[in-house]
Amino acid sequence: MNVHKLQALNRSLSAADLKGSNSLPEKQLSKPILEPVVDSSSSPNVINFPSGNVQHSQDKALNEFKDLAETLQLLDQLSGFLSWDQIAYLPENASDIRAWQTKRLTKLSIEMLTSAKMERLLNHLEAEEVFPTLGIVDKALVKQIRKQYEREKKVPIELSQELVETTTKAVDIWEKAKEEGDFNKFAPILEKIVLLKRQEAKYLGYKDSPYDALLNEYEEGLTTKELDKLFSALKRELIPIIKLIKEKGVQPDASFLHKSYGHDKQIDLSKKLLEHIGFDLSSGRLDESEHPTCTNIGENDVRITTKVLNKNLWFGISNAIHEGGHGLYAHGLDSALSKSPLHDSPSMGIDESQSRLYETIVGQSLPFWIYYFPKLQEQFPKQLDGVTLEDFYKAINRVQPSLIRIEADEITYQMHVIVRYEIEKDLIEGKLEVKDISKAWKKKMEKYLGVTPTNDTEGPLQDVHWADGCFGYFPTYTLGNLYAAQIYNTAKNAIPDLEMMIASGNMKVLKEWLRENIHKYGSTEDTKDIIKRVTGEDLNPRYFIEYIKSKYRRIYPDAFKSS
């Protein structure tokens, strides 16, 4: 979960063998970047980043505009820091002052963004005789700030401030309610948040559903009509697979994952895994929180939080690798964009594609554990005594409907997302009230997964997103899975021995490929353009479906015999 983007949007600111011989020579790796320019000999959508100084525009208006944009970025980074501190270290009694701090920062940002000076500069830079002369990055910045400007002009500043103040307080209330398993303690402030989000959607404007206005905050241009069609297709493909495995599959033994693994050793393992996938802890840190997060404070300052459970080894491993995927994206953003609002991913779907790619497609793959399982056995020799690589691989890919989203396997996970999507859409459309959430949750979990929560901690209290006001975020997790499968398929075609390299312990080649093709561009391109440029086609769920079928046929051959 990328908490910085989540918080920012809520604030309305928006190897040839297995021995490692195939590592890339250092000269092929990314180097520090300065200023992007367009290379006319390549695709017009591709930015090349030469090392060396590039003549900057002397246009006074452009320089004034960039100065304002840098200040907005600074305010956003400060808000991100406060958000990270709130979930990791904020004293129990400090929530009120933190709410005031974030409210004031929001006011400062919105006032600067919607000022007469900003309007004058935008109008000048968008003029017919000026805009074509701008560089590709400056054009992207002007477009992004214009979108943010228009958005904030629609929403009263008082509503934005009230939202940020309310959600800041709600996070602490949610955490206590979750601990006690009492949804009724969270319901009153959630009712207020839903009312405020309905108002916000009305001000933002929409064509068919008010939920579209909120969905657009996380995945620009995506609509409920498109999502309903996409999710219907996924249900049609995945529910029969879940049923086949449940009825005919021979379940692997996963009991060894639930022995006592200890807190400190798991935190140490999390750090080692982050370092293994390429996350630089000297430019970031790992802390703990109730809900795992990744916050990009700024260049070389990426804060990850995780959670471990004493008797659930895979829970801690998957959290670390997931948030590490977010962190690699943040570290891979080009340094030339570091003081700009473009120093971010263009959408939550593409951001989640990187976390889910690392967590599931790579982190639950056989090549990854061919290399890392012996190291895991060294760290936990007693708990993993007698466990083979095959045992471990099958156990971490066990498909079994469960109650908790972040503990779910990669097939049933999509049903968890759909449950949340359908509930929050109904809330925003006024078809469901907060008091009826628990009942609706139980009904949908039984319908899609055949399991029913026995308490609210296993149900609607398990995620922080609604407390944070992030209605429209959940669908981006499934979008992330779909993007990830399509991107990884392209990476394997571009690097034919990629999985041999991963099995040899070489994670650098994948990180560098993703950095060169996706990460470094930040928000200079939108998600649809990135997917089309990198994979050669628009989003295509076929890659995810084929990935699932191919992988799980091998793990559950009995279930797929007749299919």
Side-chain angles (χ1 to χ4, degrees):
M1 174 181 172
N2 187 322
V3 73
H4 188 201
K5 179 182 286 292
L6 184 151
Q7 288 277 10
L9 286 165
N10 183 45
R11 285 193 304 275
S12 306
L13 301 174
S14 265
D17 53 51
L18 301 183
K19 298 181 181 179
S21 62
N22 285 298
S23 23
L24 285 178
E26 284 299 316
K27 65 180 180 181
Q28 294 185 30
L29 304 181
S30 292
K31 296 181 179 179
I33 327 170
L34 290 177
E35 180 74 19
V37 296
V38 179
D39 181 356
S40 59
S41 65
S42 61
S43 166
N45 292 324
V46 178
I47 304 173
N48 291 313
F49 297 90
S51 60
N53 294 319
V54 177
Q55 182 66 41
H56 293 283
S57 170
Q58 298 302 313
D59 186 278
K60 182 180 178 182
L62 181 58
N63 290 334
E64 289 181 5
F65 173 72
K66 287 182 175 180
D67 185 65
L68 281 179
E70 287 187 5
T71 304
L72 286 172
Q73 177 72 347
L74 173 61
L75 292 173
D76 190 53
Q77 290 172 343
L78 291 173
S79 294
F81 180 83
L82 292 181
S83 299
W84 165 81
D85 178 70
Q86 180 180 3
I87 61 174
Y89 290 111
L90 189 72
E92 183 178 352
N93 295 328
S95 60
D96 286 344
I97 191 64
R98 182 51 45 86
W100 174 82
Q101 291 164 343
T102 54
K103 179 180 178 180
R104 292 296 295 179
L105 275 174
T106 298
K107 185 173 186 291
L108 286 172
S109 295
I110 294 175
E111 287 176 345
M112 179 173 291
L113 180 61
T114 59
S115 65
K117 181 177 181 180
M118 180 65 83
E119 182 180 23
R120 173 178 59 81
L121 291 170
L122 282 170
N123 289 339
H124 171 77
L125 294 170
E126 290 170 331
E128 186 176 344
E129 67 275 13
V130 177
F131 190 76
T133 69
L134 301 178
I136 191 168
V137 174
D138 292 336
K139 286 179 179 176
L141 182 59
V142 170
K143 289 178 180 178
Q144 178 162 309
I145 297 295
R146 170 58 78 180
K147 288 178 189 175
Q148 294 174 350
Y149 173 88
E150 295 296 338
R151 185 203 186 284
E152 297 309 333
K153 294 295 282 188
K154 294 177 182 178
V155 180
I157 190 171
E158 295 81 10
L159 176 58
S160 296
Q161 287 183 282
E162 187 174 6
L163 258 171
V164 107
E165 185 175 34
T166 302
T167 55
T168 302
K169 292 178 180 179
V171 170
D172 287 336
I173 295 172
W174 161 79
E175 192 166 338
K176 293 171 185 175
K178 180 183 179 182
E179 186 178 341
E180 298 173 17
D182 189 353
F183 185 76
N184 290 329
K185 289 189 175 181
F186 178 54
I189 198 163
L190 181 57
E191 287 176 351
K192 183 177 181 180
I193 293 171
V194 170
L195 178 61
L196 292 172
K197 296 303 286 187
R198 287 173 180 169
Q199 293 176 18
E200 184 181 47
K202 184 178 180 180
Y203 281 113
L204 289 171
Y206 54 88
K207 182 179 180 182
D208 297 312
S209 167
Y211 187 78
D212 288 344
L214 305 182
L215 187 60
N216 190 66
E217 301 283 273
Y218 302 98
E219 203 71 16
E220 186 178 356
L222 188 65
T223 67
T224 52
K225 283 186 177 180
E226 292 173 306
L227 270 183
D228 287 342
K229 183 178 179 181
L230 178 62
F231 285 165
S232 292
L234 286 177
K235 285 187 284 188
R236 192 165 54 248
E237 292 281 358
L238 297 181
I239 290 177
I241 294 175
I242 295 169
K243 186 178 180 182
L244 269 177
I245 293 174
K246 184 177 181 179
E247 294 178 352
K248 300 181 179 180
V250 178
Q251 287 291 1
D253 176 27
S255 60
F256 57 84
L257 294 175
H258 301 282
K259 294 181 179 180
S260 178
Y261 283 87
H263 171 272
D264 292 351
K265 280 193 172 184
Q266 288 195 72
I267 294 298
D268 180 60
L269 172 62
S270 296
K271 291 179 179 178
K272 290 177 179 177
L273 285 167
L274 286 173
E275 291 174 334
H276 177 60
I277 65 173
F279 183 81
D280 183 2
L281 282 167
S282 66
S283 296
R285 58 180 293 127
L286 176 68
D287 296 279
E288 296 177 70
S289 65
E290 177 59 34
H291 195 101
T293 61
C294 178
T295 307
N296 181 13
I297 306 295
E299 186 178 22
N300 297 322
D301 189 1
V302 179
R303 315 288 178 97
I304 288 174
T305 67
T306 191
K307 183 177 181 179
V308 299
L309 299 174
N310 181 42
K311 292 189 176 182
N312 192 334
L313 177 63
W314 184 248
F315 181 79
I317 290 174
S318 62
N319 283 335
I321 300 177
H322 178 99
E323 301 306 333
H326 281 305
L328 290 176
Y329 201 148
H331 276 164
L333 296 166
D334 190 78
S335 59
L337 306 173
S338 63
K339 298 184 178 78
S340 162
L342 298 173
H343 193 254
D344 201 356
S345 58
S347 77
M348 279 317 309
I350 194 74
D351 212 303
E352 290 297 342
S353 79
Q354 303 304 280
S355 58
R356 293 295 288 174
L357 187 154
Y358 273 95
E359 177 195 356
T360 60
I361 297 179
V362 174
Q364 287 178 241
S365 73
L366 187 57
F368 185 88
W369 291 102
I370 284 174
Y371 176 80
Y372 211 88
F373 185 63
K375 296 181 180 298
L376 194 67
Q377 287 179 307
E378 289 176 9
Q379 189 152 0
F380 300 105
K382 183 178 179 181
Q383 296 91 329
L384 297 175
D385 182 40
V387 178
T388 67
L389 171 63
E390 183 180 4
D391 294 336
F392 183 81
Y393 172 67
K394 288 184 175 180
I396 65 174
N397 285 288
R398 179 180 172 126
V399 176
Q400 188 170 33
S402 62
L403 295 166
I404 307 300
R405 176 183 62 86
I406 61 175
E407 296 179 20
D409 60 83
E410 58 185 329
I411 302 180
T412 62
Y413 183 95
Q414 315 315 320
M415 299 302 110
H416 284 268
V417 171
I418 292 172
V419 165
R420 287 151 176 79
Y421 161 68
E422 293 180 350
I423 288 176
E424 68 177 19
K425 183 178 69 154
D426 284 350
L427 281 170
I428 298 302
E429 291 180 347
K431 298 175 183 177
L432 180 70
E433 296 302 323
V434 169
K435 64 182 178 63
D436 300 317
I437 287 178
S438 294
K439 183 179 178 181
W441 191 285
K442 289 178 181 179
K443 185 177 179 180
K444 289 181 182 294
M445 288 294 289
E446 176 63 35
K447 177 182 178 181
Y448 293 142
L449 290 171
V451 295
T452 305
T454 58
N455 58 65
D456 290 327
T457 299
E458 295 175 339
L461 285 175
Q462 64 184 270
D463 297 300
V464 70
H465 302 61
W466 291 343
D468 235 342
C470 295
F471 289 82
Y473 188 111
F474 281 117
T476 67
Y477 286 118
T478 288
L479 286 174
N481 282 302
L482 304 184
Y483 288 142
Q486 193 165 332
I487 290 167
Y488 190 72
N489 180 75
T490 303
K492 287 200 300 180
N493 289 333
I495 313 167
D497 53 358
L498 174 60
E499 294 192 335
M500 298 286 282
M501 292 182 175
I502 291 173
S504 71
N506 178 4
M507 297 296 295
K508 184 181 291 185
V509 64
L510 177 61
K511 183 183 79 169
E512 292 300 331
W513 187 88
L514 291 169
R515 175 171 291 183
E516 288 299 313
N517 288 279
I518 298 173
H519 300 169
K520 75 177 185 180
Y521 293 89
S523 294
T524 61
E525 293 180 279
D526 64 31
T527 296
K528 288 183 178 180
D529 288 341
I530 291 173
I531 295 300
K532 187 68 176 286
R533 172 175 57 77
V534 173
T535 72
E537 59 183 302
D538 295 325
L539 175 63
N540 186 345
R542 177 178 64 85
Y543 292 101
F544 177 74
I545 298 300
E546 290 305 314
Y547 157 73
I548 291 294
K549 289 180 177 179
S550 175
K551 176 176 179 177
Y552 287 92
R553 276 195 184 100
R554 297 185 182 98
I555 297 173
Y556 290 97
D558 293 335
F560 285 88
K561 276 182 180 178
S562 59
S563 64

